[in-house]
Amino acid sequence: MSSQKGNVTRTRPQRHQNAFSFKNDKFDTSIQTKRINAKLHDGVCQRCKEVLEWRVKYSKYKPLSKPKKCIKCLQKTVKDSYHTICRPCACELEVCAKCGKKEEIVIPISNKLEKIDNVKSDEISNCKRRKKFEEQTSDELDFDIDLNESEDEEQDNHMQM
Ligand SMILES: [Zn+2]
Ligand SMILES: [Zn+2]
């Protein structure tokens, strides 16, 4: 075992410091970065969540400057970057808000922490109610950050109907 390469504990400093952990807030300590780092990727499946977390980690996550069009209800209701489906639709259809597939959602959109499981019909009606509510309070997620909206991101979001 001890003769195995790469399996030894180093006692001297590494010559090439290539093993540092990447931290995107090392130099950029702006509120925006902090906010993105703290973002909860809810309403998406495990795969999409990992993609979003990867983007955040490597500073490739660009917040939306204005809501994007939802591929389900065709309203400009998508407030999360890289999502293709708005929260009410994803919640109602029980699909991932990013890839649109019927995958298991890691962090459900429902922000009601009490009574998470059962009563599906109840949950759906909650969704509908919240849909109305969200329309009224559309500035709830204040992505007022002055970043260019990256339209090229549309490309990796397969438009599924
Ligand atoms: Zn929608
Ligand atoms: Zn997904």
Side-chain angles (χ1 to χ4, degrees):
M1 273 310 239
S2 59
S3 63
Q4 210 178 333
K5 263 189 177 176
N7 201 21
V8 284
T9 318
R10 278 176 195 271
T11 49
R12 60 180 170 78
Q14 218 174 348
R15 196 170 301 169
H16 302 289
Q17 296 283 339
N18 57 352
F20 68 95
S21 73
F22 191 97
K23 276 209 159 177
N24 62 8
D25 58 355
K26 196 171 185 180
F27 304 109
D28 182 5
T29 51
S30 68
I31 293 167
Q32 184 193 322
T33 307
K34 280 204 166 74
R35 192 192 280 187
I36 292 170
N37 283 346
K39 185 160 173 51
L40 204 66
H41 302 293
D42 58 348
V44 296
C45 66
Q46 181 65 43
R47 216 186 115 259
C48 292
K49 187 169 173 282
E50 278 168 14
V51 170
L52 292 172
E53 281 169 349
W54 180 89
R55 282 189 180 274
V56 169
K57 192 176 179 189
Y58 294 99
S59 301
K60 289 181 184 297
Y61 187 94
K62 295 181 197 135
L64 284 180
S65 53
K66 55 180 191 286
K68 238 170 58 174
K69 201 183 203 176
C70 168
I71 61 166
K72 296 293 178 188
C73 64
L74 306 178
Q75 307 281 313
K76 295 236 174 196
T77 43
V78 181
K79 290 163 201 159
D80 293 285
S81 305
Y82 313 107
H83 286 202
T84 56
I85 302 168
C86 70
R87 282 159 178 270
C89 288
C91 189
E92 204 173 318
L93 301 163
E94 295 178 302
V95 293
C96 168
K98 188 176 177 294
C99 66
K101 288 176 189 158
K102 269 205 183 272
E103 300 281 351
E104 198 184 324
I105 305 305
V106 188
I107 308 168
I109 288 172
S110 176
N111 43 20
K112 287 188 172 66
L113 287 174
E114 67 273 22
K115 64 170 193 175
I116 320 153
D117 45 341
N118 59 47
V119 265
K120 263 199 179 141
S121 57
D122 197 53
E123 209 164 74
I124 288 168
S125 63
N126 271 341
C127 283
K128 279 176 182 159
R129 240 176 285 148
R130 190 156 58 239
K131 191 171 181 175
K132 263 218 165 102
F133 178 74
E134 281 213 348
E135 276 163 10
Q136 286 158 9
T137 58
S138 54
D139 56 344
E140 177 189 28
L141 290 166
D142 51 335
F143 281 131
D144 52 349
I145 307 143
D146 193 20
L147 263 188
N148 293 330
E149 189 179 10
S150 48
E151 293 295 340
D152 57 322
E153 299 298 342
E154 304 275 1
Q155 285 165 5
D156 54 31
N157 288 329
H158 303 291
M159 289 301 185
Q160 294 171 26
M161 293 302 283

